[in-house]
Amino acid sequence: MDAEEKSPNERLKHQRALRGWSQKKVSLELETSKEMVSRWETGDRIPSPYYQERLCSLFGLSAADLGFIKPPNEEQVLSFTSVPSQEVLSLLATAVSQGIIMAVRDLERTSMDASKRSLLKLLGTSIVLAGVGDEAASFLHAMLNDDQIRLYASEIEKRWSVYHNGHTLEALDGLGMWLTEVESIAKDASGEQQKQGYTLLSISYQLQGSLHRDRMEYTSAHNSYKKAYLAADEYENIELKSSALARRGVTFIQQQKPVEAIQYLESALTTLENQEFPHLSGYIYQALSEAHAMAQHGNDSWAYIELAEQALTHKQNGIESSNCSLNTTSVVAQKGVNAVLLKDYNQAISLLNTGIAHYNPKLMRGRARLIAQKAEAYYGLGYVDLSTENAEMAYSIAHQIGSEKTISRVKNLYMALQQSPYRKARSVTELGMILGMMNA
């Protein structure tokens, strides 16, 4: 940060001191360092949107109250005595849109109804448009819509990142309100802006479906994916129509319904019409390999995982929108998952160990799942102590991030151990105690 831009956040410091809180206390509440809190107060660093929301929630105050939205100085005040330039209007539209976004974030923590939220947006726009003239007003309307779409897209992208890192509840919190705002933009806009709005709406519903799926709320997940498909269909977005179908297929896998999963995943491939989306195609191939493994179709399972490997070599044309990931580590890990389902436990453990060793440590949800499946493989080989050791590790991670899928998987493994000849083993008893303590 340049010296001239550095400005201490006296409001944040004042609110903390007013409550008698130390910087250490605030850092513990937000799961960050004391040094980072100090930098926020001195102005050396500006909190990210994520931490701004956490701070607003902690203090029970708005972004403006905590000094995250600063009033303009005299040099920044714009005069409307003449028609503003498009550059000025663009900057103004961005400022207003950011203010609206921060206001909506504040409203996530309130019970304010939709009509009041709509009035807030209307007032924000009206204040800016007053006195600028018809031509400028028309341009500014368009700029406001563009900037709102970009800012909403940034918010949804941030929530996808939070979800991939395993924080399901955090990504889900307040998402319904954001979806309402995005849906409003998609329906009220026109032309290219409407197309962008429906694209954002589809990927937002796919995020919502994935969050419901992770919480094992399968009916809600399928409903979200249906809405995602319909939004993508408004402008015949082949990529997002395909990813909505693919995610429904993955949901059926998690419901232990391989036949239905294969149907939806094959429809997802057909929808792509051989267009180049290597990450999405690879994601579908991986899912098909797991569905066929679940159905005990060994040859088909390995054939599809080979196609996923081939997709890694395909050149990506532009940025894909589906948020479906594909990399060498995920393919190796998928082979391990398939081997568990096909009861090839020795190979499964070898593949899973390789996958876990190279797995992104930030992707906690996926890591917990792989460790849980390694525990299942050890159980299949009769290595009870290794099975329970990995089960405990997987459960600890899953419980920390709120991954209901992996929690359920570990509980099912424990029930199987309880019904096996190993039920009196000390490690099985200890696993039961850990599950009981964490559920208390």
Side-chain angles (χ1 to χ4, degrees):
M1 180 178 290
D2 295 338
E4 63 182 13
E5 294 178 342
K6 178 178 175 181
S7 176
N9 191 333
E10 297 293 347
R11 292 191 180 191
L12 178 59
K13 182 178 180 180
H14 172 72
Q15 291 297 336
R16 176 181 61 77
L18 195 63
R19 291 161 174 76
W21 294 349
S22 66
Q23 291 180 340
K24 182 68 174 177
K25 173 180 170 57
V26 174
S27 70
L28 290 173
E29 290 288 342
L30 300 182
E31 299 174 316
T32 187
S33 65
K34 174 180 176 292
E35 290 72 23
M36 185 58 71
V37 175
S38 176
R39 289 175 183 176
W40 292 339
E41 292 185 354
T42 60
D44 286 333
R45 292 285 296 272
I46 297 174
S48 67
Y50 167 70
Y51 279 113
Q52 287 186 24
E53 291 181 32
R54 293 285 301 272
L55 285 161
C56 288
S57 177
L58 177 65
F59 285 93
L61 296 172
S62 69
D65 292 334
L66 293 178
F68 304 141
I69 300 177
K70 296 182 180 180
N73 56 40
E74 291 183 3
E75 293 180 356
Q76 293 172 316
V77 175
L78 301 176
S79 171
F80 293 107
T81 56
S82 61
V83 177
S85 68
Q86 288 197 350
E87 181 181 1
V88 170
L89 287 172
S90 178
L91 292 171
L92 185 55
T94 299
V96 173
S97 295
Q98 288 174 335
I100 292 170
I101 292 292
M102 294 307 295
V104 173
R105 284 178 178 161
D106 289 339
L107 292 178
E108 288 179 6
R109 293 179 288 274
T110 75
S111 59
M112 186 171 286
D113 59 30
S115 61
K116 291 181 180 178
R117 294 199 302 274
S118 299
L119 179 61
L120 170 68
K121 291 197 292 184
L122 178 62
L123 285 174
T125 306
S126 299
I127 290 170
V128 176
L129 296 178
V132 300
D134 292 341
E135 183 178 347
S138 177
F139 174 79
L140 191 51
H141 265 304
M143 287 301 304
L144 279 168
N145 284 337
D146 281 342
D147 284 331
Q148 278 186 273
I149 289 171
R150 282 196 292 269
L151 289 165
Y152 284 144
S154 175
E155 173 69 18
I156 296 302
E157 187 63 31
K158 184 198 76 172
R159 287 176 182 262
W160 269 108
S161 178
V162 170
Y163 163 69
H164 285 310
N165 289 341
H167 303 289
T168 302
L169 295 177
E170 187 179 307
L172 190 59
D173 184 37
L175 180 61
M177 181 176 291
W178 285 100
L179 273 168
T180 299
E181 302 300 329
V182 173
E183 189 173 31
S184 175
I185 287 179
K187 291 180 177 179
D188 294 344
S190 59
E192 184 62 28
Q193 289 177 343
Q194 187 174 63
K195 181 179 180 180
Q196 292 173 1
Y198 275 111
T199 297
L200 179 57
L201 185 61
S202 178
I203 199 60
S204 300
Y205 274 125
Q206 292 191 48
L207 170 61
Q208 185 185 53
S210 299
L211 293 167
H212 284 309
R213 184 181 69 206
D214 194 54
R215 291 173 55 78
M216 300 176 68
E217 299 165 350
Y218 296 126
T219 299
S220 295
H222 283 298
N223 286 336
S224 293
Y225 292 139
K226 288 178 186 176
K227 293 177 181 178
Y229 182 92
L230 292 173
D233 193 46
E234 285 287 336
Y235 279 86
E236 196 58 31
N237 188 318
I238 290 174
E239 180 191 4
L240 294 185
K241 285 171 66 175
S242 175
S243 61
L245 292 170
R247 288 187 164 107
R248 288 201 70 182
V250 171
T251 304
F252 279 121
I253 289 175
Q254 293 177 6
Q255 291 178 272
Q256 306 290 310
K257 297 179 178 181
V259 174
E260 291 88 339
I262 291 169
Q263 290 174 346
Y264 273 90
L265 290 165
E266 288 180 345
S267 294
L269 279 179
T270 302
T271 301
L272 279 181
E273 299 176 351
N274 297 318
Q275 295 195 32
E276 281 294 320
F277 294 100
H279 282 241
L280 175 55
S281 298
Y283 175 86
I284 297 170
Y285 290 140
Q286 282 190 187
L288 274 165
S289 75
E290 183 170 347
H292 280 290
M294 187 176 289
Q296 299 302 301
H297 304 156
N299 291 336
D300 289 333
S301 177
W302 293 116
Y304 275 115
I305 203 66
E306 286 180 10
L307 288 172
E309 286 183 301
Q310 292 175 21
L312 289 169
T313 66
H314 294 175
K315 185 178 180 180
Q316 185 175 354
N317 297 322
I319 299 174
E320 296 184 31
S321 303
S322 65
N323 275 285
C324 292
S325 60
L326 177 72
N327 54 59
T328 302
T329 300
S330 70
V331 172
V332 172
Q334 186 64 62
K335 288 181 178 180
V337 170
N338 297 346
V340 174
L341 293 168
L342 293 168
K343 300 180 173 57
D344 187 352
Y345 299 124
N346 282 310
Q347 185 179 20
I349 290 170
S350 176
L351 290 165
L352 288 169
N353 279 334
T354 302
I356 292 169
H358 296 91
Y359 210 79
N360 187 337
K362 292 182 178 180
L363 306 181
M364 301 295 286
R365 188 183 64 260
R367 189 178 187 84
R369 180 201 179 195
L370 296 180
I371 296 172
Q373 292 187 298
K374 189 167 73 164
E376 293 171 0
Y378 276 126
Y379 170 62
L381 292 171
Y383 299 149
V384 179
D385 290 347
L386 287 172
S387 176
T388 55
E389 177 184 332
N390 280 275
E392 288 177 17
M393 192 185 311
Y395 188 83
S396 176
I397 297 172
H399 189 270
Q400 177 184 348
I401 63 178
S403 180
E404 297 295 335
K405 291 182 302 186
T406 299
I407 289 172
S408 176
R409 184 180 292 276
V410 174
K411 287 181 177 179
N412 289 337
L413 175 59
Y414 174 68
M415 290 174 63
L417 286 164
Q418 280 286 80
Q419 296 168 12
S420 75
Y422 313 116
R423 60 184 176 276
K424 294 184 179 180
R426 180 177 178 180
S427 60
V428 175
T429 302
E430 290 175 348
L431 176 60
M433 290 174 64
I434 289 172
L435 298 181
M437 283 190 296
M438 289 193 174
N439 281 330

